Amino acid sequence: MDLAYLQLPLVFFTAAAPMSSGAFIGLAIAFATTRFSAEELGRIDRWTLLPLAILAASFVAVLAFSFAPQSALLAIQGVGLGSLGFVAVMAVLFAVAALVYWVVAMVGKLADGVRKVYVGFLGVLAVVLSVAIGVAYSLSDVSTWASPVVPLGFAGYCVVGGVPLGMFVVAAARALPTARATRFGSIALISAFVGAVVSIFAVTVLMMNAQATAAAVLPGVDFLPGAWVYLVVSIVGFVAVLACMRGSLGGGRSSAPLGSTAGASAMPWNSFDDAPVGDPARTDTVRTDAAHVRDTASAGESTAATASSVGLLALGNVAVLVALVAARVLFYALQI
């Protein structure tokens, strides 16, 4: 575990970079399935600064590590300069492309068709960046890392971490009710589920390979006591984010009947009793007040549902980030 603690900045980078860049996968799904209003697009563009800020924080962490004495561990582990250089190029390319997208979108010069293509390109680029990080480690001298499962796992991290973050951006921009009426929810949930399965598979295989390698050298010895705890934390985090995503797509529908009933019971029925049954004033008043109550109840339900969705997705993103960090700590600890 000491090796993992010495490389905490890399732990954060390899967890946060795939997650933050993968947010554009979630946004690509949103733009491909939903036609947002100009106001909603403006709010989404402003909230897109969140994944960019997380990506910038991960870059700061890896730069701080590169100037620290612990960076010598990369040479000991056999992580080559060539693979690291490719990762750096891909990271800079993605950061520049994402920043250009955000600036142009904020200026309001991005057409709908161009937006869809551009964000789709950023989603693909995010997966390529994540896989490049995994390849850099799979080509190292560490036997437990020398596996195609490692880059595959990074692709899974990108999807399972990025799609919920992209959905959070949409929800925070108060545009999730619009997206909920389309196929956005089902496609996003299926994508995150596939990413979670791939991620869990990669973490499990890594731990089993490390334990098998250690057992071949020292039979009966547990190479990393308590390693299963990190595996369980990762699995629980990945499952939790799926549950939070599913809950956010409910849209507070279960509260709709209650809201309607409460609105109906709050109508001033006594004010109509004095008017004759056939009085036009009575009929118009009833219609107007009923419509007002329905609109008020719907607005209250929509606001409550939006707040609930944002809260659930925030919780889910925290859960998946914890899962990714646990998976990365386990990755660095299992070095043979």
Side-chain angles (χ1 to χ4, degrees), residues 172-187:
R174 304 193 305 276
L176 190 57
T178 303
R180 193 183 287 123
T182 66
R183 295 177 298 169
F184 167 71
S186 58
I187 296 177

Side-chain angles (χ1 to χ4, degrees), residues 149-281:
V149 173
V150 174
L152 178 65
F154 271 93
Y157 301 156
C158 180
V159 177
V160 73
V163 173
L165 184 56
M167 183 180 285
F168 175 81
V169 168
V170 174
R174 304 193 305 276
L176 190 57
T178 303
R180 193 183 287 123
T182 66
R183 295 177 298 169
F184 167 71
S186 58
I187 296 177
L189 194 58
I190 292 173
S191 300
F193 174 77
V194 172
V197 171
V198 172
S199 301
I200 293 172
F201 171 76
V203 176
T204 305
V205 169
L206 173 68
M207 192 181 75
M208 292 177 62
N209 286 344
Q211 296 289 11
T213 303
V217 178
L218 298 172
V221 175
D222 189 0
F223 173 63
L224 184 63
W228 62 271
V229 175
Y230 294 91
L231 178 62
V232 170
V233 170
S234 295
I235 294 176
V236 170
F238 292 138
V239 173
V241 73
L242 294 175
C244 290
M245 289 176 65
R246 180 65 184 86
S248 70
L249 294 171
R253 292 173 187 167
S254 60
S255 64
L258 294 177
S260 300
T261 303
S265 63
M267 289 179 64
W269 294 109
N270 293 335
S271 63
F272 307 137
D273 290 343
D274 295 335
V277 174
D279 192 340

